[in-house]
Amino acid sequence: MSERVVVTIQHPAHVHFFRHAIGELRERGYDVRVLVRERELARELLERYGIAHRRIAGSVESPLGLLSVQPRYEYEIIRRVRRLEPAAIVGIGEPAVAHAARLADCEGILFTDTEHAAVQNAVSLPLADRLYTPTAFWDEYGAHHRRYPGYHELAYLRPGRFAPAPVGLAGIGDEEPLVVVRLVSWTAAHDVGRSGLSDLERVIAGLERFGATVRVTAEGRLPPSLETRRLAIAPDRIHDLLARADLFLGEGATMATESALLGTPAIYVSGLRAGVLEELEARYRLLRWLSADVRPIEVLSHARELLRIRESTWTRRRRRVLEETVDTTDVIVGAVEDAVRDGQSTEPAAPVVPEVVRR
């Protein structure tokens, strides 16, 4: 019988992170089961990528809603994992993964790159059998904590994993700068009391006066004056859009990182900090980090400065990132295979982390 592995999904970004690893593990003979909690577009993405999965909990609309959904979700994870008897269970920062692994006597593997998810990290990361983070991650969790040179987003955005396709956008010509603005809903548990861009109408008006075309993607409602700029795009085409854009401006850390790794300069506006974002700003100069209380005139100043920089500069900076990092999908697959081997052996093997790929 093939070894069984459970992968848990709580967010659309998790689908992107795991989808290539799921395919590779299945090709290597693993029986991979995917358990998903409804969130935004997670199930739609799984369906678009043809990944079989089982829904085990509903969506969460607020931090308060999380308090009611999380216990049920964790119960279902534990119940199903005990029944499936996998060799390993894998997730991103999920307490349920660590807890289910202990109760089902299997290997619990967690990935994370988010230091500010303090409560979630405290009840999950110390309990995992294996914890994998980028080298830029600030915190330290002991002997089971393994680091790799890379980013979550390079599990699906490295050349060979992703090649941008043309995006036809009505009314937008190739000669005019395209700015993609991303607004988040601030409903995650670690988002309580946080905020991002302010006076958005003024910022967008300033970008348009500069000659840019602005399109907005948002998790919630937009002011009526901005609805005409809302961009509707299939969720599996968002990375094609970011690769096409000339600038990203937004509150979402994942999309800011994705843009930077695609060679699209990113301005991230938020009070939330993270090691990977700091590294992309300080080491690779692909991202600007602005505090949530930044004035609109300062946002516009940074945006105009970045739009004036030649495309070849962003291409060169991106190339350096790719030279100094590994394929994160290889890390995921290696982590699972290490865990399965260790579960079959009395002596744990040394962790396998891929060598830096030179491109």
Side-chain angles (χ1 to χ4, degrees), residues 113 138 151 153 242 246-270 272-291 302-303 305-306 309 313-314 317-318 321:
D113 61 356
W138 289 330
Y151 305 96
E153 294 75 12
L242 296 178
D246 297 282
L247 177 70
F248 170 86
L249 169 62
E251 304 165 336
T254 296
M255 203 171 285
T257 302
E258 289 170 339
S259 299
L261 294 173
L262 288 167
T264 298
I267 297 176
Y268 173 61
V269 182
S270 175
L272 298 176
R273 302 191 65 80
V276 296
L277 292 164
E278 184 178 83
E279 184 173 82
L280 283 170
E281 180 177 37
R283 183 178 180 85
Y284 298 111
R285 295 187 294 160
L286 284 163
L287 179 142
R288 293 280 177 89
W289 196 339
L290 305 181
S291 65
H302 284 282
E305 178 190 345
L306 296 182
I309 296 175
T313 298
W314 304 115
R317 292 175 184 178
R318 177 181 184 243
V321 175

CSV table of all heavy atoms in Angstrom, one decimal, residues 113 138 151 153 242 246-270 272-291 302-303 305-306 309 313-314 317-318 321:
chain,number,residue,atom,x,y,z
A,113,ASP,N,6.0,31.5,7.3
A,113,ASP,CA,6.9,32.6,7.1
A,113,ASP,C,6.3,33.9,7.8
A,113,ASP,O,6.7,35.0,7.5
A,113,ASP,CB,7.0,32.9,5.6
A,113,ASP,CG,5.7,33.2,4.9
A,113,ASP,OD1,4.7,33.2,5.5
A,113,ASP,OD2,5.8,33.5,3.7
A,138,TRP,N,12.5,35.5,11.4
A,138,TRP,CA,13.2,36.0,12.5
A,138,TRP,C,13.3,35.1,13.7
A,138,TRP,O,14.2,35.1,14.4
A,138,TRP,CB,12.4,37.3,13.0
A,138,TRP,CG,12.6,38.5,12.1
A,138,TRP,CD1,13.7,38.8,11.3
A,138,TRP,CD2,11.7,39.5,11.9
A,138,TRP,NE1,13.5,39.9,10.5
A,138,TRP,CE2,12.2,40.4,10.9
A,138,TRP,CE3,10.4,39.8,12.4
A,138,TRP,CZ2,11.6,41.6,10.5
A,138,TRP,CZ3,9.8,41.0,11.9
A,138,TRP,CH2,10.3,41.8,11.0
A,151,TYR,N,11.5,31.4,-0.4
A,151,TYR,CA,10.3,32.0,0.0
A,151,TYR,C,9.1,31.1,-0.4
A,151,TYR,O,9.2,30.3,-1.3
A,151,TYR,CB,10.0,33.4,-0.8
A,151,TYR,CG,11.2,34.4,-0.6
A,151,TYR,CD1,12.2,34.5,-1.6
A,151,TYR,CD2,11.2,35.2,0.5
A,151,TYR,CE1,13.2,35.3,-1.4
A,151,TYR,CE2,12.3,36.0,0.7
A,151,TYR,CZ,13.3,36.1,-0.3
A,151,TYR,OH,14.3,37.0,-0.1
A,153,GLU,N,6.5,31.7,-1.9
A,153,GLU,CA,6.0,32.0,-3.2
A,153,GLU,C,6.8,31.4,-4.3
A,153,GLU,O,6.4,31.2,-5.5
A,153,GLU,CB,5.9,33.5,-3.4
A,153,GLU,CG,4.8,34.2,-2.5
A,153,GLU,CD,5.2,34.3,-1.1
A,153,GLU,OE1,6.4,34.1,-0.8
A,153,GLU,OE2,4.4,34.6,-0.2
A,242,LEU,N,0.0,40.1,-12.2
A,242,LEU,CA,1.1,40.8,-11.5
A,242,LEU,C,2.4,40.8,-12.3
A,242,LEU,O,3.1,41.8,-12.2
A,242,LEU,CB,1.4,40.0,-10.2
A,242,LEU,CG,0.2,40.0,-9.2
A,242,LEU,CD1,0.6,39.2,-7.9
A,242,LEU,CD2,-0.2,41.4,-8.8
A,246,ASP,N,3.2,47.1,-13.9
A,246,ASP,CA,4.4,47.9,-13.8
A,246,ASP,C,4.7,48.3,-12.3
A,246,ASP,O,5.8,48.7,-12.0
A,246,ASP,CB,4.3,49.2,-14.6
A,246,ASP,CG,4.2,48.8,-16.1
A,246,ASP,OD1,5.2,48.5,-16.7
A,246,ASP,OD2,3.1,48.9,-16.6
A,247,LEU,N,3.7,48.1,-11.5
A,247,LEU,CA,3.8,48.4,-10.0
A,247,LEU,C,2.7,47.8,-9.3
A,247,LEU,O,1.5,47.8,-9.7
A,247,LEU,CB,3.8,50.0,-9.8
A,247,LEU,CG,3.9,50.4,-8.3
A,247,LEU,CD1,5.3,50.2,-7.8
A,247,LEU,CD2,3.5,51.9,-8.2
A,248,PHE,N,3.0,47.2,-8.1
A,248,PHE,CA,2.0,46.7,-7.2
A,248,PHE,C,2.0,47.7,-6.0
A,248,PHE,O,3.0,48.0,-5.5
A,248,PHE,CB,2.3,45.3,-6.7
A,248,PHE,CG,1.5,44.8,-5.6
A,248,PHE,CD1,0.2,44.2,-5.8
A,248,PHE,CD2,1.9,45.0,-4.3
A,248,PHE,CE1,-0.6,43.8,-4.8
A,248,PHE,CE2,1.1,44.6,-3.2
A,248,PHE,CZ,-0.2,44.0,-3.5
A,249,LEU,N,0.8,48.0,-5.5
A,249,LEU,CA,0.6,48.8,-4.4
A,249,LEU,C,-0.5,48.2,-3.5
A,249,LEU,O,-1.6,48.0,-4.0
A,249,LEU,CB,0.2,50.2,-4.8
A,249,LEU,CG,-0.3,51.2,-3.6
A,249,LEU,CD1,0.8,51.4,-2.6
A,249,LEU,CD2,-0.8,52.5,-4.2
A,250,GLY,N,-0.2,47.8,-2.3
A,250,GLY,CA,-1.3,47.1,-1.6
A,250,GLY,C,-1.0,46.8,-0.1
A,250,GLY,O,0.1,47.0,0.4
A,251,GLU,N,-2.0,46.2,0.5
A,251,GLU,CA,-1.9,45.8,1.9
A,251,GLU,C,-1.6,44.3,2.1
A,251,GLU,O,-1.4,43.9,3.2
A,251,GLU,CB,-3.3,46.1,2.5
A,251,GLU,CG,-3.7,47.5,2.4
A,251,GLU,CD,-5.2,47.7,2.7
A,251,GLU,OE1,-6.0,46.8,2.6
A,251,GLU,OE2,-5.6,48.9,3.0
A,252,GLY,N,-1.7,43.5,1.0
A,252,GLY,CA,-1.5,42.1,1.2
A,252,GLY,C,0.0,41.7,1.1
A,252,GLY,O,0.6,41.9,0.0
A,253,ALA,N,0.5,41.0,2.1
A,253,ALA,CA,1.9,40.7,2.1
A,253,ALA,C,2.2,39.6,1.1
A,253,ALA,O,3.3,39.6,0.4
A,253,ALA,CB,2.3,40.2,3.5
A,254,THR,N,1.3,38.6,0.9
A,254,THR,CA,1.6,37.6,-0.1
A,254,THR,C,1.7,38.1,-1.5
A,254,THR,O,2.6,37.8,-2.2
A,254,THR,CB,0.5,36.5,0.0
A,254,THR,OG1,0.5,35.9,1.3
A,254,THR,CG2,0.7,35.4,-1.1
A,255,MET,N,0.7,39.0,-1.9
A,255,MET,CA,0.7,39.5,-3.2
A,255,MET,C,1.8,40.5,-3.4
A,255,MET,O,2.4,40.6,-4.5
A,255,MET,CB,-0.7,40.2,-3.5
A,255,MET,CG,-0.9,40.2,-5.0
A,255,MET,SD,-2.6,40.8,-5.4
A,255,MET,CE,-3.6,39.3,-5.0
A,256,ALA,N,2.3,41.2,-2.4
A,256,ALA,CA,3.4,42.1,-2.5
A,256,ALA,C,4.7,41.2,-2.8
A,256,ALA,O,5.5,41.6,-3.6
A,256,ALA,CB,3.6,42.9,-1.3
A,257,THR,N,4.8,40.1,-2.1
A,257,THR,CA,6.0,39.2,-2.3
A,257,THR,C,5.9,38.6,-3.6
A,257,THR,O,7.0,38.5,-4.3
A,257,THR,CB,6.0,38.1,-1.2
A,257,THR,OG1,6.0,38.7,0.1
A,257,THR,CG2,7.2,37.2,-1.3
A,258,GLU,N,4.7,38.1,-4.1
A,258,GLU,CA,4.6,37.6,-5.4
A,258,GLU,C,5.1,38.5,-6.5
A,258,GLU,O,5.8,38.2,-7.4
A,258,GLU,CB,3.2,37.1,-5.6
A,258,GLU,CG,2.7,35.9,-4.8
A,258,GLU,CD,1.3,35.7,-4.9
A,258,GLU,OE1,0.5,36.6,-5.2
A,258,GLU,OE2,0.8,34.5,-4.6
A,259,SER,N,4.6,39.8,-6.3
A,259,SER,CA,5.0,40.8,-7.3
A,259,SER,C,6.5,41.0,-7.4
A,259,SER,O,7.1,41.0,-8.5
A,259,SER,CB,4.3,42.1,-7.0
A,259,SER,OG,2.9,42.0,-7.0
A,260,ALA,N,7.1,41.1,-6.2
A,260,ALA,CA,8.5,41.3,-6.2
A,260,ALA,C,9.3,40.2,-6.8
A,260,ALA,O,10.2,40.4,-7.6
A,260,ALA,CB,9.0,41.5,-4.7
A,261,LEU,N,8.8,39.0,-6.5
A,261,LEU,CA,9.5,37.8,-7.1
A,261,LEU,C,9.3,37.6,-8.6
A,261,LEU,O,10.0,36.9,-9.2
A,261,LEU,CB,9.1,36.5,-6.3
A,261,LEU,CG,9.5,36.5,-4.9
A,261,LEU,CD1,9.0,35.3,-4.1
A,261,LEU,CD2,11.1,36.5,-4.7
A,262,LEU,N,8.3,38.3,-9.1
A,262,LEU,CA,8.0,38.3,-10.5
A,262,LEU,C,8.8,39.4,-11.2
A,262,LEU,O,8.7,39.6,-12.5
A,262,LEU,CB,6.5,38.4,-10.8
A,262,LEU,CG,5.7,37.1,-10.5
A,262,LEU,CD1,4.2,37.4,-10.5
A,262,LEU,CD2,6.1,36.0,-11.5
A,263,GLY,N,9.5,40.3,-10.5
A,263,GLY,CA,10.2,41.4,-11.0
A,263,GLY,C,9.3,42.6,-11.2
A,263,GLY,O,9.7,43.6,-11.9
A,264,THR,N,8.2,42.6,-10.6
A,264,THR,CA,7.3,43.8,-10.5
A,264,THR,C,7.5,44.6,-9.2
A,264,THR,O,7.3,44.0,-8.2
A,264,THR,CB,5.8,43.4,-10.7
A,264,THR,OG1,5.6,42.8,-11.9
A,264,THR,CG2,4.9,44.6,-10.6
A,265,PRO,N,8.0,45.8,-9.3
A,265,PRO,CA,8.2,46.5,-8.0
A,265,PRO,C,7.0,46.6,-7.2
A,265,PRO,O,5.9,46.8,-7.7
A,265,PRO,CB,8.7,47.9,-8.5
A,265,PRO,CG,8.2,48.0,-9.9
A,265,PRO,CD,8.2,46.7,-10.5
A,266,ALA,N,7.1,46.5,-5.9
A,266,ALA,CA,6.0,46.4,-5.0
A,266,ALA,C,6.1,47.4,-3.8
A,266,ALA,O,7.2,47.6,-3.3
A,266,ALA,CB,5.9,45.0,-4.4
A,267,ILE,N,5.0,48.1,-3.5
A,267,ILE,CA,4.9,48.9,-2.4
A,267,ILE,C,3.9,48.3,-1.4
A,267,ILE,O,2.7,48.1,-1.8
A,267,ILE,CB,4.4,50.4,-2.7
A,267,ILE,CG1,5.4,51.0,-3.6
A,267,ILE,CG2,4.2,51.2,-1.5
A,267,ILE,CD1,5.0,52.4,-4.1
A,268,TYR,N,4.4,47.9,-0.3
A,268,TYR,CA,3.6,47.2,0.7
A,268,TYR,C,3.3,48.2,1.9
A,268,TYR,O,4.2,48.7,2.5
A,268,TYR,CB,4.3,46.0,1.3
A,268,TYR,CG,3.7,45.3,2.4
A,268,TYR,CD1,2.4,44.7,2.3
A,268,TYR,CD2,4.3,45.1,3.6
A,268,TYR,CE1,1.8,44.0,3.4
A,268,TYR,CE2,3.8,44.5,4.7
A,268,TYR,CZ,2.5,43.9,4.6
A,268,TYR,OH,2.0,43.3,5.6
A,269,VAL,N,2.0,48.5,2.1
A,269,VAL,CA,1.6,49.4,3.1
A,269,VAL,C,0.8,48.7,4.2
A,269,VAL,O,-0.3,48.2,4.1
A,269,VAL,CB,0.6,50.5,2.5
A,269,VAL,CG1,0.3,51.5,3.6
A,269,VAL,CG2,1.3,51.2,1.3
A,270,SER,N,1.5,48.6,5.4
A,270,SER,CA,0.9,47.9,6.5
A,270,SER,C,1.7,48.1,7.7
A,270,SER,O,2.9,48.4,7.7
A,270,SER,CB,0.9,46.4,6.2
A,270,SER,OG,0.4,45.6,7.2
A,272,LEU,N,2.1,45.5,9.7
A,272,LEU,CA,2.6,44.1,9.9
A,272,LEU,C,4.0,43.9,9.3
A,272,LEU,O,4.2,44.3,8.1
A,272,LEU,CB,1.6,43.1,9.3
A,272,LEU,CG,0.2,43.1,9.8
A,272,LEU,CD1,-0.7,42.1,9.1
A,272,LEU,CD2,0.2,42.8,11.3
A,273,ARG,N,4.9,43.4,10.1
A,273,ARG,CA,6.2,43.2,9.6
A,273,ARG,C,6.6,41.7,9.5
A,273,ARG,O,6.0,40.9,10.2
A,273,ARG,CB,7.2,43.9,10.5
A,273,ARG,CG,7.0,45.4,10.7
A,273,ARG,CD,8.1,46.2,11.4
A,273,ARG,NE,9.3,46.1,10.6
A,273,ARG,CZ,9.6,46.9,9.6
A,273,ARG,NH1,8.7,47.8,9.2
A,273,ARG,NH2,10.7,46.8,8.9
A,274,ALA,N,7.5,41.4,8.7
A,274,ALA,CA,8.0,40.0,8.5
A,274,ALA,C,9.4,40.0,8.0
A,274,ALA,O,9.8,40.9,7.2
A,274,ALA,CB,7.0,39.3,7.6
A,275,GLY,N,10.1,38.9,8.3
A,275,GLY,CA,11.5,38.8,7.9
A,275,GLY,C,11.6,38.7,6.4
A,275,GLY,O,12.6,39.3,5.8
A,276,VAL,N,10.7,38.0,5.7
A,276,VAL,CA,10.9,37.8,4.3
A,276,VAL,C,10.7,39.1,3.5
A,276,VAL,O,11.4,39.4,2.6
A,276,VAL,CB,9.9,36.7,3.7
A,276,VAL,CG1,10.3,35.4,4.3
A,276,VAL,CG2,8.5,37.1,4.0
A,277,LEU,N,9.8,39.9,4.0
A,277,LEU,CA,9.5,41.2,3.4
A,277,LEU,C,10.7,42.2,3.6
A,277,LEU,O,11.1,42.9,2.7
A,277,LEU,CB,8.2,41.9,3.9
A,277,LEU,CG,7.0,41.1,3.5
A,277,LEU,CD1,5.8,41.5,4.4
A,277,LEU,CD2,6.6,41.3,2.1
A,278,GLU,N,11.3,42.1,4.8
A,278,GLU,CA,12.4,43.0,5.1
A,278,GLU,C,13.6,42.6,4.2
A,278,GLU,O,14.3,43.4,3.7
A,278,GLU,CB,12.8,42.8,6.6
A,278,GLU,CG,14.0,43.7,7.0
A,278,GLU,CD,14.3,43.6,8.5
A,278,GLU,OE1,15.0,42.6,8.8
A,278,GLU,OE2,13.8,44.4,9.2
A,279,GLU,N,13.8,41.3,4.0
A,279,GLU,CA,14.9,40.8,3.1
A,279,GLU,C,14.7,41.2,1.7
A,279,GLU,O,15.6,41.7,1.0
A,279,GLU,CB,15.0,39.3,3.2
A,279,GLU,CG,16.2,38.8,2.4
A,279,GLU,CD,16.4,37.3,2.6
A,279,GLU,OE1,15.7,36.5,2.0
A,279,GLU,OE2,17.2,36.9,3.4
A,280,LEU,N,13.4,41.2,1.2
A,280,LEU,CA,13.1,41.6,-0.2
A,280,LEU,C,13.4,43.1,-0.4
A,280,LEU,O,13.8,43.5,-1.5
A,280,LEU,CB,11.7,41.2,-0.6
A,280,LEU,CG,11.4,39.8,-0.9
A,280,LEU,CD1,10.0,39.5,-1.0
A,280,LEU,CD2,12.2,39.4,-2.2
A,281,GLU,N,13.2,43.8,0.7
A,281,GLU,CA,13.4,45.3,0.6
A,281,GLU,C,14.9,45.6,0.8
A,281,GLU,O,15.5,46.3,0.0
A,281,GLU,CB,12.7,46.0,1.7
A,281,GLU,CG,12.9,47.5,1.7
A,281,GLU,CD,12.0,48.2,2.7
A,281,GLU,OE1,11.8,47.7,3.8
A,281,GLU,OE2,11.6,49.3,2.4
A,282,ALA,N,15.6,45.1,1.8
A,282,ALA,CA,16.9,45.5,2.1
A,282,ALA,C,18.0,44.8,1.3
A,282,ALA,O,19.0,45.4,0.9
A,282,ALA,CB,17.2,45.2,3.6
A,283,ARG,N,17.8,43.5,1.0
A,283,ARG,CA,18.8,42.8,0.3
A,283,ARG,C,18.6,42.9,-1.3
A,283,ARG,O,19.6,43.0,-2.0
A,283,ARG,CB,18.8,41.3,0.7
A,283,ARG,CG,19.8,40.4,0.0
A,283,ARG,CD,19.7,39.0,0.5
A,283,ARG,NE,20.7,38.1,-0.1
A,283,ARG,CZ,22.0,38.0,0.4
A,283,ARG,NH1,22.4,38.7,1.4
A,283,ARG,NH2,22.8,37.2,-0.2
A,284,TYR,N,17.4,42.8,-1.7
A,284,TYR,CA,17.1,42.7,-3.1
A,284,TYR,C,16.5,43.9,-3.7
A,284,TYR,O,16.4,44.1,-5.0
A,284,TYR,CB,16.2,41.5,-3.4
A,284,TYR,CG,16.9,40.2,-3.0
A,284,TYR,CD1,16.4,39.4,-2.0
A,284,TYR,CD2,18.0,39.7,-3.7
A,284,TYR,CE1,17.0,38.2,-1.6
A,284,TYR,CE2,18.6,38.5,-3.3
A,284,TYR,CZ,18.1,37.8,-2.3
A,284,TYR,OH,18.7,36.6,-1.9
A,285,ARG,N,16.0,44.9,-2.9
A,285,ARG,CA,15.5,46.1,-3.4
A,285,ARG,C,14.3,46.0,-4.4
A,285,ARG,O,14.2,46.7,-5.4
A,285,ARG,CB,16.6,47.0,-3.9
A,285,ARG,CG,17.6,47.5,-2.9
A,285,ARG,CD,18.6,48.5,-3.4
A,285,ARG,NE,19.4,47.9,-4.4
A,285,ARG,CZ,20.1,48.6,-5.3
A,285,ARG,NH1,20.0,49.9,-5.4
A,285,ARG,NH2,20.8,48.0,-6.2
A,286,LEU,N,13.5,45.0,-4.2
A,286,LEU,CA,12.4,44.7,-5.0
A,286,LEU,C,11.1,45.2,-4.4
A,286,LEU,O,10.0,45.1,-5.1
A,286,LEU,CB,12.3,43.2,-5.4
A,286,LEU,CG,13.3,42.7,-6.4
A,286,LEU,CD1,13.3,41.2,-6.3
A,286,LEU,CD2,12.9,43.1,-7.8
A,287,LEU,N,11.1,45.7,-3.2
A,287,LEU,CA,9.9,46.0,-2.4
A,287,LEU,C,10.2,47.3,-1.6
A,287,LEU,O,11.3,47.4,-1.1
A,287,LEU,CB,9.5,44.8,-1.6
A,287,LEU,CG,8.3,44.9,-0.7
A,287,LEU,CD1,7.5,43.6,-0.7
A,287,LEU,CD2,8.7,45.2,0.7
A,288,ARG,N,9.2,48.1,-1.4
A,288,ARG,CA,9.2,49.2,-0.5
A,288,ARG,C,8.2,48.9,0.6
A,288,ARG,O,7.0,48.6,0.3
A,288,ARG,CB,8.9,50.5,-1.1
A,288,ARG,CG,9.9,51.0,-2.1
A,288,ARG,CD,11.1,51.7,-1.5
A,288,ARG,NE,12.1,52.0,-2.5
A,288,ARG,CZ,12.2,53.2,-3.1
A,288,ARG,NH1,11.2,54.1,-2.9
A,288,ARG,NH2,13.1,53.4,-4.0
A,289,TRP,N,8.6,49.1,1.8
A,289,TRP,CA,7.6,48.9,3.0
A,289,TRP,C,7.3,50.2,3.6
A,289,TRP,O,8.2,50.9,4.1
A,289,TRP,CB,8.3,48.0,4.0
A,289,TRP,CG,7.5,47.3,5.0
A,289,TRP,CD1,6.2,47.7,5.4
A,289,TRP,CD2,7.8,46.1,5.7
A,289,TRP,NE1,5.7,46.9,6.3
A,289,TRP,CE2,6.6,45.9,6.5
A,289,TRP,CE3,8.9,45.3,5.8
A,289,TRP,CZ2,6.6,44.8,7.4
A,289,TRP,CZ3,8.8,44.2,6.6
A,289,TRP,CH2,7.7,44.0,7.4
A,290,LEU,N,6.0,50.6,3.6
A,290,LEU,CA,5.6,51.8,4.2
A,290,LEU,C,4.6,51.5,5.3
A,290,LEU,O,3.8,50.6,5.3
A,290,LEU,CB,4.8,52.7,3.1
A,290,LEU,CG,5.6,53.0,1.8
A,290,LEU,CD1,4.8,53.9,0.9
A,290,LEU,CD2,7.0,53.6,2.1
A,291,SER,N,4.7,52.3,6.4
A,291,SER,CA,3.9,52.1,7.6
A,291,SER,C,2.4,52.5,7.2
A,291,SER,O,2.2,53.2,6.3
A,291,SER,CB,4.4,52.9,8.8
A,291,SER,OG,4.3,54.3,8.5
A,302,HIS,N,6.8,57.6,-3.6
A,302,HIS,CA,7.5,56.3,-3.8
A,302,HIS,C,7.0,55.6,-5.1
A,302,HIS,O,7.8,55.1,-5.9
A,302,HIS,CB,7.2,55.4,-2.6
A,302,HIS,CG,7.9,55.7,-1.4
A,302,HIS,ND1,9.3,55.4,-1.2
A,302,HIS,CD2,7.6,56.4,-0.3
A,302,HIS,CE1,9.7,55.8,0.0
A,302,HIS,NE2,8.7,56.4,0.5
A,303,ALA,N,5.7,55.7,-5.4
A,303,ALA,CA,5.2,55.1,-6.6
A,303,ALA,C,5.8,55.7,-7.9
A,303,ALA,O,6.2,55.0,-8.8
A,303,ALA,CB,3.7,55.2,-6.6
A,305,GLU,N,8.6,57.3,-8.1
A,305,GLU,CA,10.0,57.0,-8.2
A,305,GLU,C,10.2,55.6,-8.8
A,305,GLU,O,11.1,55.4,-9.7
A,305,GLU,CB,10.6,57.0,-6.8
A,305,GLU,CG,12.1,56.6,-6.8
A,305,GLU,CD,12.7,56.5,-5.4
A,305,GLU,OE1,12.0,56.9,-4.4
A,305,GLU,OE2,13.7,55.9,-5.2
A,306,LEU,N,9.5,54.6,-8.3
A,306,LEU,CA,9.6,53.2,-8.8
A,306,LEU,C,9.2,53.1,-10.3
A,306,LEU,O,9.8,52.3,-11.0
A,306,LEU,CB,8.8,52.2,-7.9
A,306,LEU,CG,9.3,52.2,-6.5
A,306,LEU,CD1,8.5,51.1,-5.7
A,306,LEU,CD2,10.8,51.8,-6.4
A,309,ILE,N,12.0,53.8,-12.8
A,309,ILE,CA,13.2,52.9,-12.9
A,309,ILE,C,13.0,52.0,-14.1
A,309,ILE,O,11.9,51.5,-14.3
A,309,ILE,CB,13.4,52.1,-11.6
A,309,ILE,CG1,13.7,53.1,-10.5
A,309,ILE,CG2,14.5,51.1,-11.8
A,309,ILE,CD1,13.8,52.4,-9.1
A,313,THR,N,16.4,47.0,-14.7
A,313,THR,CA,16.9,47.0,-13.3
A,313,THR,C,16.1,46.0,-12.5
A,313,THR,O,16.7,45.2,-11.7
A,313,THR,CB,16.7,48.4,-12.7
A,313,THR,OG1,17.5,49.3,-13.4
A,313,THR,CG2,17.1,48.4,-11.2
A,314,TRP,N,14.8,45.9,-12.7
A,314,TRP,CA,14.0,44.9,-11.9
A,314,TRP,C,14.3,43.5,-12.4
A,314,TRP,O,14.3,42.6,-11.6
A,314,TRP,CB,12.5,45.2,-12.1
A,314,TRP,CG,12.1,46.6,-11.8
A,314,TRP,CD1,11.6,47.6,-12.6
A,314,TRP,CD2,12.2,47.2,-10.4
A,314,TRP,NE1,11.4,48.8,-11.9
A,314,TRP,CE2,11.8,48.6,-10.5
A,314,TRP,CE3,12.6,46.7,-9.2
A,314,TRP,CZ2,11.7,49.4,-9.5
A,314,TRP,CZ3,12.6,47.6,-8.1
A,314,TRP,CH2,12.2,48.9,-8.2
A,317,ARG,N,17.5,42.5,-10.6
A,317,ARG,CA,17.3,42.2,-9.2
A,317,ARG,C,16.6,40.9,-9.0
A,317,ARG,O,16.9,40.2,-8.1
A,317,ARG,CB,16.6,43.4,-8.6
A,317,ARG,CG,17.4,44.7,-8.5
A,317,ARG,CD,16.5,45.9,-8.0
A,317,ARG,NE,17.3,47.1,-8.0
A,317,ARG,CZ,16.8,48.3,-7.7
A,317,ARG,NH1,15.6,48.4,-7.2
A,317,ARG,NH2,17.6,49.4,-7.8
A,318,ARG,N,15.6,40.6,-9.8
A,318,ARG,CA,14.9,39.4,-9.7
A,318,ARG,C,15.9,38.2,-10.0
A,318,ARG,O,15.8,37.2,-9.3
A,318,ARG,CB,13.8,39.3,-10.7
A,318,ARG,CG,13.0,38.0,-10.7
A,318,ARG,CD,11.9,38.0,-11.7
A,318,ARG,NE,11.1,36.7,-11.6
A,318,ARG,CZ,11.0,35.9,-12.6
A,318,ARG,NH1,11.7,36.1,-13.8
A,318,ARG,NH2,10.3,34.8,-12.5
A,321,VAL,N,17.7,37.2,-7.0
A,321,VAL,CA,16.9,36.4,-6.0
A,321,VAL,C,16.9,34.9,-6.5
A,321,VAL,O,17.1,34.0,-5.7
A,321,VAL,CB,15.5,36.9,-6.0
A,321,VAL,CG1,14.6,36.0,-5.1
A,321,VAL,CG2,15.4,38.3,-5.4
